[in-house]
Amino acid sequence: MSNETEVFLIPESSRAHSSSRGAALPSEYSQGGTQSVPTRRIRVLGVPLDLGASRRGVDMGPSAMRVAGLETRLEALGHQVVDGGNIRVEIAETQSIGRANARFLAQIAETCTRTAEAVAQALEDGMTPFVLGGDHSLAAGTVSGVAEFYRRSQQKIGVIWLDAHSDINTPETSPSGNVHGMPLAALLGLGGDSELASLGRIFGYAPKIAPENTVIVGVRDIDSAERDNLRRVGVGAVYTMREIDERGMRTVMEEAVRIAGEGTAGYHVSLDMDWIDPEDAPGVGTPVRGGATYREAHLAMEILADHGRLLSFEIVEVNPVIDEHNRTADLAVELACSAFGKKIL
């Protein structure tokens, strides 16, 4: 790890899309031959949150990815990596569940507020935030932090949501009451005056993201009420696995980065490991057959690296309790390396 001060040089082609601080595109190219994009200063933040899901174990996801060599493998690409440690999370057994249709929502909102503040600070310090989860409810915090940072310079962000699920339930529509199925709804302002508003109004305003710059890729398990929510809010694009099958991952991802990037400073990428087929990623909380293959997932990450407009990144829902020899965490680290520029030749 390195704590040296670094001066950022933003390529002319990128200046129109980047603020002068935060996730401005980093400075110099690696000479090692395995890195295809400018190097970055990355701050890793763990959020060992498992209050948003029924199945326990994803709180160990950040540790599993660290054990899989995340820091070393990113540094081998020429990036400077600083591990910012873990965000404080309450232990489920010490807390009141609250209402059955939004279990542990108050505690999740507190965790997401702490996450948002840490993410915004990373950007203020000129670093790219990389958040390790934890269940997907933490995305309300990550995205809020990124959106707040760019809002200060009158810019907005896009979001690319890679997930088997659309995560756009509200307490009124959720069949389980698990908040990890609600973060996108909160970020898009669907909380209204309900208790979900506390998750969506971190920093005091909502919505955090515009639906026209929000893209969901790879869904294959959507609750009936979520379909209505998707239509009502007008999400920019929703690509099911059928569309990936028929049109190919490259076409879908090229469209996704265009939609998420149009008129924005860039985009946050939220990768739920259940987006990948459980044959390749067995250690996830809510596996669904028929997901992205190993190579499709890497191609998606490589396309993100090619475009160079990644503002922040998170990987969630790694569950070592049900994994096989840390396979899923190891794949998560591989995919992170591809997203941050690793290439084959």
Side-chain angles (χ1 to χ4, degrees):
M1 294 191 298
S2 174
N3 293 316
E4 294 180 2
T5 302
E6 181 177 2
V7 177
F8 288 90
L9 301 175
I10 306 174
E12 286 291 339
S13 61
S14 302
R15 288 178 182 168
H17 303 291
S18 300
S19 67
S20 60
R21 304 178 70 183
L25 293 181
S27 58
E28 59 188 40
Y29 287 83
S30 166
Q31 302 301 311
T34 59
Q35 166 64 278
S36 63
V37 299
T39 56
R40 296 176 180 251
R41 296 175 65 218
I42 299 170
R43 180 171 295 164
V44 174
L45 296 167
V47 187
L49 178 66
D50 72 346
L51 298 173
S54 295
R55 177 176 279 173
R56 307 295 298 280
V58 292
D59 58 320
M60 291 182 278
S63 293
M65 285 181 270
R66 287 173 171 127
V67 167
L70 175 66
E71 182 178 324
T72 301
R73 289 157 84 171
L74 288 174
E75 287 180 334
L77 299 176
H79 301 297
Q80 296 182 45
V81 183
V82 175
D83 196 320
N86 285 350
I87 304 298
R88 181 170 61 85
V89 179
E90 304 299 338
I91 304 298
E93 286 76 11
T94 68
Q95 302 296 307
S96 168
I97 290 176
R99 293 182 59 182
N101 66 346
R103 301 166 70 250
F104 298 111
L105 180 58
Q107 297 90 333
I108 291 169
E110 290 174 2
T111 298
C112 285
T113 299
R114 290 190 284 268
T115 302
E117 291 168 349
V119 165
Q121 186 61 56
L123 289 162
E124 186 70 26
D125 294 340
M127 306 190 80
T128 300
F130 182 6
V131 175
L132 313 178
D135 72 64
H136 214 164
S137 59
L138 66 87
T142 310
V143 176
S144 291
V146 183
E148 169 63 14
F149 175 80
Y150 284 96
R151 180 173 179 259
R152 296 170 190 167
S153 56
Q154 289 76 54
Q155 293 178 289
K156 62 178 183 174
I157 67 167
V159 168
I160 299 176
W161 200 268
L162 305 170
D163 201 330
H165 312 88
S166 59
D167 293 346
I168 200 167
N169 267 308
T170 65
E172 293 71 32
T173 65
S174 173
S176 66
N178 292 330
V179 178
H180 74 160
M182 306 181 194
L184 195 53
L187 291 165
L188 288 164
L190 285 178
D193 296 326
S194 75
E195 56 192 335
L196 189 62
S198 64
L199 197 59
R201 294 191 64 82
I202 296 171
F203 296 120
Y205 67 94
K208 292 296 188 302
I209 53 177
E212 62 267 25
N213 296 123
T214 302
V215 186
I216 305 173
V217 177
V219 287
R220 54 196 186 277
D221 185 12
I222 303 177
D223 296 325
S224 58
E226 286 185 291
R227 294 187 179 94
D228 295 334
N229 288 343
L230 285 167
R231 296 186 184 101
R232 179 156 59 95
V233 77
V235 168
V238 181
Y239 296 99
T240 67
M241 282 306 302
R242 174 173 176 169
E243 288 176 272
I244 292 173
D245 291 341
E246 292 180 342
R247 303 177 62 205
M249 183 64 79
R250 179 170 190 83
T251 299
V252 166
M253 286 302 298
E254 290 288 352
E255 290 183 8
V257 298
R258 178 182 57 78
I259 293 166
E262 190 169 359
T264 68
Y267 34 77
H268 169 75
V269 173
S270 188
L271 170 56
D272 187 322
M273 287 299 288
D274 70 21
W275 175 64
I276 300 160
D277 193 90
E279 287 290 324
D280 291 308
V284 297
T286 50
V288 183
R289 293 175 64 187
T293 65
Y294 177 90
R295 265 313 312 164
E296 285 175 330
H298 272 288
L299 176 59
M301 298 299 104
E302 290 158 356
I303 290 171
L304 291 171
D306 289 345
H307 283 266
R309 298 193 62 202
L310 181 72
L311 303 176
S312 52
F313 190 52
E314 69 190 350
I315 299 180
V316 303
E317 299 283 356
V318 173
N319 192 333
V321 172
I322 55 175
D323 203 4
E324 301 169 359
H325 308 292
N326 217 31
R327 276 179 60 199
T328 304
D330 190 66
L331 175 56
V333 172
E334 287 185 24
L335 294 175
C337 289
S338 289
F340 283 106
K342 184 175 182 180
K343 61 181 181 177
I344 296 170
L345 284 175

